[in-house]
Amino acid sequence: MTDLSSYPITHKWPATDPERLQLYSLPTPNGVKVSIMLEETGLAYEPHLVSFERNEQFSPEFLSLTPNNKIPAILDPNGPGGQPLALFESGAILVYLAEKTGQLLAEEPAARYETLQWLMWQMGGVGPMFGQLGFFHKFAGAEYEDKRPRDRYVAESARLLGVLDQRLQGRDWIMGDYSIADIAVLPWVRCLVDFYKADELVQFERFGNVRRVLDAFLARPAVQRGLNIPART
Ligand SMILES: N[C@@H](CCC(=O)N[C@@H](CS)C(=O)NCC(=O)O)C(=O)O
């Protein structure tokens, strides 16, 4: 029986079954990348809700696993060499889970690097830029009189959507086959349109390929499940 008691995070969020991968998250665009990946791969796991309302991302137990105070994070009791592995950063977690299961990341080197390229494109571009647009359009920044910061992120988000739209021309998914690149990018597109309601600002109707692939993504049963994990209580 695996003993995870040396990980303080398990004191605040106890593992019912310490043989299972433990997920610490919230259903945000970064959080659902990992729950969708876990649902797609069929790995056994236990989700734990990290409540921002209760500021649990700043609790010492959470910080013991991820000093960056951001979800998602995982603790896999059966990591490399059969030893527990703790990980944060959604992109790193996606790569880890893909390699652990042999799913959703091509083995052939060129295709593998190309998938990682699009994953990094999401991590360094789409996530930070769309997130800032959300701040300036939906959250506190919407009150600012000066619209130049908002417009900067609108322009950059629209540019990124244009890049994605071009990539998806003639392809079912970013890599042709469904992969971790789609799982990284598409929750952010959904967030921009459905949650931030920035579709008019970025003139989303121009990006027909993105709309098509987003709809295909949202139709997947594993995606539909993952979008609500961990359940908000
Ligand atoms: N680069 C990180 C970003 C994670 C991130 O920004 N998480 C947000 C939710 S989507 C968060 O935990 N925010 C809590 C906070 O900033 O206090 C990743 O992809 O894992």
Side-chain angles (χ1 to χ4, degrees), residues 87-101:
L87 265 191
F88 64 94
E89 280 296 324
S90 59
I93 297 172
L94 288 180
V95 174
Y96 172 66
L97 294 176
E99 291 187 337
K100 180 181 171 83
T101 60

Side-chain angles (χ1 to χ4, degrees), residues 200-228:
E200 280 185 26
L201 271 181
V202 298
Q203 298 176 282
F204 190 68
E205 75 283 354
R206 288 181 291 162
F207 308 115
N209 293 313
V210 178
R211 174 85 263 174
R212 165 179 57 82
V213 176
L214 177 62
D215 288 345
F217 181 67
L218 296 177
R220 295 179 72 89
V223 171
Q224 290 170 7
R225 292 193 302 275
L227 286 172
N228 294 308

Side-chain angles (χ1 to χ4, degrees), residues 172-195:
D172 288 343
W173 302 103
I174 292 172
M175 287 301 299
D177 290 334
Y178 185 57
S179 75
I180 56 173
D182 305 293
I183 295 177
V185 170
L186 294 166
W188 271 106
V189 179
R190 170 182 178 262
C191 177
L192 186 85
V193 173
D194 292 347
F195 185 54

Side-chain angles (χ1 to χ4, degrees), residues 26-34 50 52 55 57-58 62 68-73 88-93 122-123 127-128 188 196:
L26 195 67
T28 70
N30 287 318
V32 299
K33 290 179 205 169
V34 177
V50 179
F52 290 175
N55 275 328
Q57 73 273 34
F58 299 110
F62 188 69
N68 196 38
N69 65 264
K70 289 184 189 290
I71 62 95
F88 64 94
E89 280 296 324
S90 59
I93 297 172
Q122 184 284 309
M123 296 296 293
W188 271 106
Y196 297 161

Side-chain angles (χ1 to χ4, degrees), residues 3 7 21-22 28 35 39 41 47 49 79 81 148 155 185 204 225 231:
D3 181 9
Y7 291 86
L21 187 147
Q22 307 292 307
T28 70
S35 45
E39 290 293 323
T41 57
L49 184 86
R148 282 174 298 180
V185 170
F204 190 68
R225 292 193 302 275

Side-chain angles (χ1 to χ4, degrees), residues 12 37 48 62 101 116 129 133 152-153 156 194-195:
K12 187 170 176 68
M37 181 67 179
H48 301 281
F62 188 69
T101 60
L116 295 177
M129 294 302 128
L133 176 50
R152 174 180 162 82
Y153 293 112
E156 183 59 5
D194 292 347
F195 185 54

